[in-house]
Amino acid sequence: MSYNNLFLHNDWNFLIHNSNISFEIINLEQKDNIILDNSSLVYIGLHGIVSISKRYSSNKLVTLYLINLNNVIFSVDTNINYYLEVKAFTKSTLLIISFADFYTCKRYHSQLLKLELDSLNSKLYYIELFAHIFHHKNIVNKFLSFILIMCKNFGIIYPPGILIDLEISQLDISKIIGCSRVTITRLINLLKKKLIIIINRKIMVYNPVY
């Protein structure tokens, strides 16, 4: 395999096994949580869809975005008062290597730098999308913005409408947009008459133009 193809999709195993470095693979089931709080490690997403949140030392939780993990790289700064909390919305896989080994790999594999930049670009894209939710002061508009973002990034188009192919609980939605679970229940019941239906605990938007 050439270096030009080395880092496509999930070819990290090739790199790991041919660089003689230590690693760990963590598999998450749906709804599992993991904390990324070790600054000496680099966490590399291989597969799955997760939410990324900041958990502050005060125990306050702020959800930043939902993201497709493919080749997304996370590291933790020691000079901050929070750590990253990951919640799996699908079965997900993380590859963990030491920061020192990751730095060494970058020296010898130039494609890794491009992958790191692509990872940063992906994270910034999702952060910007989710920031749009909070441009709205009205909680209904925040909820609608969230639904449309989910349609854009995780939606599957069917003849009846766009199915958000993730099981997202009302509690998860309330944490993301900053309101109570009761409010989300009320909004879902209201919008069932005009915009959405629930299919097997997933949201389908059958009238996005409305």
Side-chain angles (χ1 to χ4, degrees), residues 103-119:
Y103 180 79
T104 299
C105 288
K106 285 201 294 184
R107 291 176 59 191
Y108 294 103
H109 301 293
S110 59
Q111 286 288 343
L112 185 53
L113 178 59
K114 180 182 183 302
L115 184 61
E116 190 173 25
L117 292 174
D118 288 344
S119 170

Side-chain angles (χ1 to χ4, degrees), residues 33 50-66 81-87 89 126-127 130-131 133-134 171-179:
N33 287 68
V50 302
S51 66
I52 305 296
S53 304
K54 286 183 179 180
R55 174 76 71 175
Y56 289 89
S57 54
S58 63
N59 208 36
K60 179 181 179 181
L61 183 72
V62 177
T63 300
L64 301 176
Y65 48 81
L66 271 70
N81 64 341
Y82 65 84
Y83 53 81
L84 296 180
E85 186 169 300
V86 177
K87 178 174 182 178
F89 282 82
Y126 281 99
I127 288 173
F130 273 72
I133 294 173
F134 298 98
L171 181 60
D172 287 324
I173 297 174
S174 68
K175 288 180 179 179
I176 290 170
I177 69 174
C179 67

Side-chain angles (χ1 to χ4, degrees), residues 126-142:
Y126 281 99
I127 288 173
E128 183 178 4
L129 275 182
F130 273 72
H132 289 166
I133 294 173
F134 298 98
H135 289 174
H136 304 286
K137 295 183 179 180
N138 184 290
I139 196 65
V140 176
N141 290 336
K142 285 183 180 181

